[in-house]
Amino acid sequence: MRKKVLIVEDNLILSDMLEKWLLKAGYDVVTATDEFSARRKINESNVALVLTDVRLPEGDGISLLEWNVRQKLPIPFVVMTGYASIADAVRAVKLGAKDYLPKPVYEEQLLELLHGLLKLPVTVMREKKMLERCSAVARETERIAKRVAGSECAVMILGPNGSGKESIARMIHLHSLRKDYLFVAVNCGCVPRELAASEFFEHVKGAFTGAVKDTEGYFGRARGGTLFLDEIGNMSHEIQALLLRVLQEKVYNPVGSRIEQEADVRILSATNEDMKLAIQGGRFREDLYHRLAEFEVCQPSLAECPEDILPLADFFRKQYSEEMRQETSGFTEQAKSALLSYSWPGNIRQLANRVRRAVLLAESPLLSQKDLGLEETVYETENLKRKKSWMRSMKKNVFAKHWRKMKTISVVQRKYWL
């Protein structure tokens, strides 16, 4: 029997996107745009889970959750929240929400969470097909990742934001002995300090005010599989201390319990920071770094892999065309030139966003430079190059002029003063 999810979100574009993801994953979906219509849908439908935004035009997600608790309905809640409303997310979890998702919401993260909460018969979320990279630099990184996958050592993936560090982590998981268990990704910078222990190591009923039932944490959810700690450079000192003990002892105590649980997970981590500088600055513990970085893999930026730009763009075009049910066949020659000319400071993530935008706006099967929104950015890139060239030329001219002046003074000094 298909599980039914209620999406409560007033942003219709986001609501529609979430609905498409869930329908494709095999769920039934009903939607609401405010608290009162959500209550009606809960009463009318056999809802298995509620996915709600905190802020709604009429009512809000917190009061909807409180109403659910008062009605004594056994429906799990997942709260979506922006960074500015993390305090609301903390309050929601204390009131009994199963989990929260920081915005922007990612498809794989959402489906993993729902899979764990609804306990579907399938025990592993199958990965999407990953593109084989063309560039020698990226292929070497993938070769190293596959080589280290068979071991149990902790791997730290280094690279700039948006370069695909999580895809390398998933590749390691898929080629490891733990591939038949879950891959759980956690953005460490989004875990509130107040909820860190509960989020990572779960809590039992009665552990604190609002803990009305046992709740599984990241380590429990990833048991037997892989726990991917993204953005570890943003991890608070409190979380660092908790994590170090677990990595040393291989056991943990759920909040409110004295019974130890085995930490049976493979740890992978990623950061875009220079960890040596973070250690020197006192922002990251050196002992934890050595536990997490038994082996390091460096993911190159997209600018270092120009051969990958067009294949990646076409990969995303096909993916988003299917997702949005749009008919596209490729890129115009002008669009291809623009893709290759741009510097991509946001790396693969920026490329994916540009292609998504193009698929959404395209009025013909061939995506244009205008659809990609690269008309101004390419011009700005070329303008910046010309400006830098002009600056270098000016520096040379100023230096040459200054040098001639100094040389003349030197000659005069030798002739008249020395």
Side-chain angles (χ1 to χ4, degrees):
M1 182 178 175
R2 289 158 64 101
K3 302 281 187 177
K4 185 175 289 184
V5 177
L6 169 61
I7 299 171
V8 189
E9 172 61 65
D10 61 306
N11 183 326
L12 297 181
I13 295 174
L14 176 57
S15 178
D16 186 51
M17 183 178 70
L18 294 171
E19 182 178 2
K20 286 178 180 177
W21 289 349
L22 296 183
L23 289 172
K24 190 168 64 175
Y27 295 95
D28 283 334
V29 178
V30 288
T31 62
T33 56
D34 58 62
E35 179 187 344
F36 306 107
S37 60
R39 290 186 186 185
R40 190 172 64 253
K41 293 286 175 68
I42 290 172
N43 286 327
E44 293 172 354
S45 310
N46 184 24
V47 174
L49 181 138
V50 175
L51 177 64
T52 180
D53 192 5
V54 170
R55 307 293 168 88
L56 297 169
E58 294 182 33
D60 59 64
I62 302 294
S63 59
L64 179 62
L65 173 59
E66 290 174 330
W67 172 82
N68 184 72
V69 172
R70 287 196 303 273
Q71 299 296 312
K72 297 182 180 179
L73 300 173
I75 302 174
F77 268 61
V78 174
V79 174
M80 297 180 291
T81 175
Y83 179 78
S85 57
I86 284 293
D88 289 332
V90 173
R91 184 179 163 211
V93 171
K94 287 186 176 180
L95 283 169
K98 283 292 186 181
D99 213 327
Y100 69 93
L101 284 171
K103 290 184 177 180
V105 177
Y106 297 103
E107 181 178 4
E108 292 178 354
Q109 183 185 17
L110 172 64
L111 294 181
E112 278 182 5
L113 177 58
L114 265 58
H115 165 82
L117 292 175
L118 296 177
K119 303 193 183 302
L120 300 178
V122 181
T123 57
V124 182
M125 193 195 79
R126 295 296 172 189
E127 305 295 329
K128 291 180 179 179
K129 182 183 176 184
M130 290 190 286
L131 176 72
E132 286 288 330
R133 302 283 289 272
C134 302
S135 65
V137 180
R139 289 179 76 88
E140 176 62 14
T141 300
E142 291 177 354
R143 185 190 69 80
I144 293 170
K146 290 175 184 177
R147 191 73 184 271
V148 76
S151 70
E152 280 291 298
C153 68
V155 179
M156 184 178 290
I157 304 162
L158 307 173
N161 276 336
S163 59
K165 296 186 290 294
E166 184 168 337
S167 67
I168 292 295
R170 289 181 179 278
M171 181 177 291
I172 292 172
H173 173 71
L174 286 172
H175 288 83
S176 74
L177 298 175
R178 296 176 177 267
K179 63 184 179 182
D180 292 327
Y181 294 88
L182 281 179
F183 174 95
V184 176
V186 180
N187 188 325
C188 297
C190 292
V191 179
R193 186 173 54 188
E194 300 87 345
L195 293 176
S198 174
E199 291 288 292
F200 276 93
F201 312 118
E202 65 205 58
H203 67 255
V204 298
K205 182 179 178 180
F208 49 80
T209 304
V212 294
K213 57 182 73 176
D214 294 356
T215 300
E216 193 173 43
Y218 299 134
F219 273 85
R221 199 178 304 157
R223 186 169 287 115
T226 301
L227 181 59
F228 174 55
L229 305 176
D230 198 8
E231 303 296 348
I232 56 161
N234 296 329
M235 191 184 287
S236 69
H237 284 283
E238 289 81 0
I239 301 178
Q240 290 180 40
L242 291 169
L243 189 59
L244 178 63
R245 180 185 176 276
V246 177
L247 294 180
Q248 287 173 337
E249 307 296 331
K250 303 295 183 185
V251 294
Y252 64 89
N253 289 88
V255 177
S257 172
R258 295 182 181 180
I259 301 173
E260 289 187 338
Q261 301 284 339
E262 182 184 4
D264 178 22
V265 297
R266 165 91 175 273
I267 298 289
L268 304 177
S269 59
T271 183
N272 65 334
E273 286 200 42
D274 185 328
M275 295 307 291
K276 291 181 180 177
L277 289 179
I279 291 167
Q280 290 171 8
R283 290 181 289 109
F284 203 86
R285 297 179 62 130
E286 186 173 7
D287 46 3
L288 178 58
Y289 166 77
H290 291 301
R291 289 279 179 182
L292 292 172
E294 293 175 339
F295 192 91
E296 289 185 348
V297 174
C298 295
Q299 176 74 331
S301 66
L302 187 55
E304 296 174 82
C305 311
E307 306 96 316
D308 289 331
I309 293 174
L310 292 183
L312 279 169
D314 206 51
F315 175 78
F316 292 130
R317 177 190 64 78
K318 292 174 183 175
Q319 178 182 320
Y320 296 136
S321 296
E322 182 182 345
E323 183 180 301
M324 299 179 192
R325 297 176 186 174
Q326 298 274 55
E327 292 291 334
T328 66
S329 58
F331 298 89
T332 65
E333 290 303 316
Q334 192 180 24
K336 289 178 183 178
S337 297
L339 286 165
L340 292 171
S341 300
Y342 189 53
S343 59
W344 300 111
N347 295 292
I348 297 174
R349 186 180 299 142
Q350 185 185 16
L351 174 62
N353 289 341
R354 289 285 177 176
V355 176
R356 185 198 290 266
R357 176 188 191 276
V359 170
L360 186 64
L361 297 178
E363 295 179 352
S364 71
L366 284 177
L367 307 185
S368 68
Q369 182 177 352
K370 183 180 179 181
D371 294 332
L372 289 164
L374 287 178
E375 291 175 309
E376 293 182 5
T377 49
V378 171
Y379 169 78
E380 288 166 5
T381 302
E382 293 302 319
N383 211 26
L384 186 61
K385 287 179 181 177
R386 286 195 292 271
K387 188 174 179 181
K388 285 182 177 178
S389 176
W390 178 81
M391 289 294 290
R392 283 195 297 269
S393 176
M394 282 294 294
K395 285 179 181 177
K396 285 180 182 178
N397 291 338
V398 170
F399 177 78
K401 186 177 179 181
H402 182 68
W403 174 253
R404 285 196 298 272
K405 183 178 179 182
M406 292 301 294
K407 192 174 180 181
T408 302
I409 292 172
S410 179
V411 169
V412 171
Q413 283 180 333
R414 284 201 302 272
K415 187 172 181 180
Y416 298 105
W417 298 342
L418 297 181

